[in-house]
């Protein structure tokens, strides 16, 4: 059995088909689905299906949502499921077959929009970042056996790059594996900001992470005009 943790925040407008996806995930697949919401104001909480376990927290960051879901997980294999990614049905069954192995990794990344730059981004993510750098981003739908984390481990409540932090912890146990089935993720940021501009922004964010720039300041730039993961109040 698998515990699927889905962090949500104001999903109704930008991610309307999420709720039917979650309902089917909990109904037809060998998984408990845990939805952790950060005080959404758009009706997200009310639309979370009744066959999911749902929790509301005060924390505003996705890291805090993921930590709560990991704490609530009843099964040894935890799947951190990006709310705007969709895993192939076969992928869930494939993960269930290896749910008691002490492994970690992600599914094969692809975007829901075809473009040469996006195709290259997915190739790099699958073939370089995951395979050689041992970093698995959340849009791969990162999974791990709980025994690979020390007792009481918690992701730092950063505003961005929480998936990098947990990857850095998990890779101490060995290389991640890649399941061949797809995790198709939304290209909304690229389409809204422009594909090349978003790629350059992503590269700048990664550089900022290694230069230890404030995660909150970086995420304010990253979320500007979209507020998909976090909403920042305008200051007078």
């Amino acid at each position: 059995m698998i515990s699927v943790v889905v962090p949500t925040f104001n999903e109704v407008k930008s991610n309307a088909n999420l709720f039917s996806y979650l309902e089917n995930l909990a109904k037809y697949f060998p998984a408990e689905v845990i939805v952790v919401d950060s005080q959404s104001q758009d009706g997200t909480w009310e639309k979370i299906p009744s066959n999911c376990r749902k929790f509301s927290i005060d924390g505003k960051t996705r890291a805090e949502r993921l930590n709560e879901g990991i704490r609530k997980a009843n099964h040894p294999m935890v799947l951190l499921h990006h709310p705007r990614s969709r895993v192939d049905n076969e992928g869930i069954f494939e993960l269930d077959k290896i749910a008691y192995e002490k492994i970690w990794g992600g599914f094969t990344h692809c975007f829901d929009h075809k473009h040469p730059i996006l195709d290259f981004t997915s190739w790099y993510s699958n073939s370089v970042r995951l395979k050689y750098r041992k970093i698995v981003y959340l849009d791969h739908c990162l999974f791990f056996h709980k025994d690979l984390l020390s007792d009481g481990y918690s992701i730092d409540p950063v505003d961005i790059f929480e998936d990098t932090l947990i990857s850095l912890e998990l890779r101490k146990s060995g290389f991640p594996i890649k399941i061949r089935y797809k995790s198709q993720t939304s290209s909304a940021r690229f389409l809204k900001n422009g594909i090349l501009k978003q790629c350059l922004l992503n590269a700048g964010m990664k550089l900022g992470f290694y230069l230890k720039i404030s995660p909150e300041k970086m995420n304010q730039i990253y979320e500007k005009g979209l507020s998909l993961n976090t909403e920042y109040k305008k200051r007078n």
Side-chain angles (χ1 to χ4, degrees):
M1 290 288 288
I2 309 160
S3 293
V4 182
V5 176
V6 186
T8 60
F9 177 72
N10 287 349
E11 306 291 338
V12 171
K13 184 177 179 180
S14 63
N15 197 12
N17 65 358
L18 171 66
F19 306 102
S20 59
Y21 175 79
L22 292 176
E23 183 174 17
N24 289 334
L25 191 61
K27 184 176 182 180
Y28 296 113
F29 296 95
E32 68 165 351
V33 180
I34 301 168
V35 184
V36 184
D37 187 71
S38 286
Q39 303 291 321
S40 291
Q41 301 298 312
D42 67 341
T44 291
W45 177 258
E46 292 77 13
K47 291 180 71 67
I48 296 170
S50 59
N51 60 351
C52 299
R53 298 174 63 202
K54 64 179 187 178
F55 302 91
S56 179
I57 65 169
D58 293 330
K60 69 175 184 177
T61 69
R62 191 162 64 187
E64 291 168 292
R65 287 170 237 153
L66 294 175
N67 281 332
E68 180 69 10
I70 294 168
R71 283 192 291 268
K72 299 295 185 182
N74 288 318
H75 299 297
M77 183 60 69
V78 178
L79 168 58
L80 303 183
H81 198 307
H82 195 296
R84 287 178 296 282
S85 291
R86 303 291 181 266
V87 175
D88 288 344
N89 293 344
E90 298 88 349
I92 302 296
F93 289 116
E94 186 74 12
L95 182 59
D96 185 57
K97 292 177 184 178
I98 54 176
Y100 290 98
E101 296 183 29
K102 294 182 181 180
I103 55 173
W104 75 285
F107 295 89
T108 300
H109 183 277
C110 69
F111 284 103
D112 61 2
H113 181 79
K114 295 298 292 182
H115 188 280
I117 293 178
L118 296 182
D119 291 344
F120 173 80
T121 300
S122 290
W123 172 84
Y124 180 86
S125 190
N126 293 318
S127 302
V128 179
R129 183 187 303 116
L130 186 153
K131 186 175 181 180
Y132 294 106
R133 296 186 57 220
K134 298 188 284 184
I135 300 292
V136 181
Y137 283 171
L138 192 62
D139 52 11
H140 280 266
C141 292
L142 187 159
F143 56 81
F144 61 92
H145 193 287
K146 285 195 292 187
D147 284 356
L148 299 182
L149 295 176
S150 58
D151 289 342
Y153 172 80
S154 182
I155 309 168
D156 288 345
V158 293
D159 291 58
I160 193 171
F161 289 114
E162 71 289 335
D163 44 11
T164 299
L165 293 181
I166 193 170
S167 290
L168 293 175
E169 184 68 22
L170 288 166
R171 75 182 190 180
K172 295 175 184 177
S173 65
F175 282 87
I177 69 165
K178 182 180 68 176
I179 291 180
R180 68 183 186 277
Y181 295 107
K182 297 289 190 348
S183 170
Q184 184 182 79
T185 196
S186 170
S187 52
R189 291 186 188 277
F190 293 88
L191 299 181
K192 172 69 167 56
N193 294 331
I195 291 175
L196 183 57
K197 181 180 177 181
Q198 185 63 44
C199 285
L200 293 173
L201 176 61
N202 289 351
M205 294 293 107
K206 293 166 192 172
L207 178 61
F209 173 81
Y210 289 105
L211 292 176
K212 301 188 183 301
I213 294 174
S214 162
E216 182 175 355
K217 289 181 180 178
M218 286 196 293
N219 204 44
Q220 285 177 341
I221 297 171
Y222 192 66
E223 290 284 81
K224 187 176 181 180
L226 284 168
S227 299
L228 294 177
N229 299 327
T230 311
E231 188 172 61
Y232 296 96
K233 294 181 180 180
K234 293 182 179 179
R235 296 174 180 174
N236 295 327

